Amino acid sequence: MGATGAVASVITLIAVLLLVSFLFFGYMDRAGPIVGIVSNYTSANASQIGNESVVSNTGTANATQANAQLAAYALSLINRDRNAYGLANVTVSSEPSAQQHASSMLANNYFSHWDVFGMKPYMRYTLLGGTGAVSENIAYRYSAECGVFGCSGDINVTQALQEMEYSMMYNDSQCCNNGHRDNILNQYHNQVSIGIAYNSSTVYFVEDFIDNYIAWSKYGINQSSDEMLLYGTLAQPYSLSSVQISYDAPVQGMSRVQLDNTSSYGYGTTVAGVVGSQGYYYPGIDTILADQYSASGGRLGIAFSMKGLIDKYGAGEYTVLVWLNGTNQTGFVGSTYTIFVNSSKNIYVPHNV
């Protein structure tokens, strides 16, 4: 047999072995890991929807109607888990932070609390109009059938959501020190923004839990004066604990490799606290004396300048955190507002989320 014939025989043998492998072994199914963590930080009714009320979404698109049904189903899973531990339901928030991030992860093929612009959940939350405080869970499932002719997906989205919620509740210690579980069972969460994005082989699931207890009348930075305004009415029985400011280095675009190597996130470095009168200070960090500081009878009226802090630290992200007094001597973050400062120290809000 010549060299050409020998090569042909080898190629034929390989093809036969691949075909036999495909016929006898069928396909591979792989589920992606549930990873990620949440910073730890309730009381409305939500409708319960059973499995029979949810369409079996085995498909490729994110149809609006299908996603609404899936979000309702996901909410029922979350509230079922909260009710089992004596906690009140959370209601669905209209804020789009969770869906925006789920869609971003699917479109850009990554898995992280950060996004391709280098922004963390509370930064995106401000850019998308959020006025409470957000705490994020993320999860994904991947399943594909692979044979001689490549791989194709046929994942059941409803089943994947059920599996992901269960894993975050009951298998969370394996990956995440119960961070997801603690987030689901946080007594102060009263809302949740739900994000679900999928194609034929992959489902991304985002739960942005929200603490929303302040009705703001004036909220945000006055860009002409660098004055931060916090005026609003606080829900009872909560009261103001403190106002603090954290700092993050300027956001930078992140590659998929960088994103896949991230895990937990935090509020950056605490750099300042706000006080209402002379004689009070925050040890170890800057103290900002407010121009106005009123917090009585459920009414908040706080105004202070960010200029000195911005002059000191320069470009970056400054997040104002409003801490509230909760029940049982516990505190929680009731609102965050991120100010983006560029290299020329001008305050700006980027539109790319």
Side-chain angles (χ1 to χ4, degrees), residues 317-332:
E317 288 68 58
Y318 297 80
T319 300
V320 178
L321 298 95
V322 180
W323 284 84
L324 303 179
N325 294 310
T327 57
N328 303 320
Q329 306 299 314
T330 59
F332 64 100

Side-chain angles (χ1 to χ4, degrees), residues 27 33 107 142 150 157 161 188 190 217 220 289 294 317 319 326 328 347 349:
Y27 63 88
Y142 170 85
V157 182
L161 291 172
Y188 295 118
N190 58 359
S217 56
L289 179 61
S294 174
E317 288 68 58
T319 300
N328 303 320
I347 297 173
V349 176

Side-chain angles (χ1 to χ4, degrees), residues 264-278:
S264 62
Y265 74 91
Y267 280 124
T269 302
T270 302
V271 293
V274 180
V275 298
S277 60
Q278 295 280 4

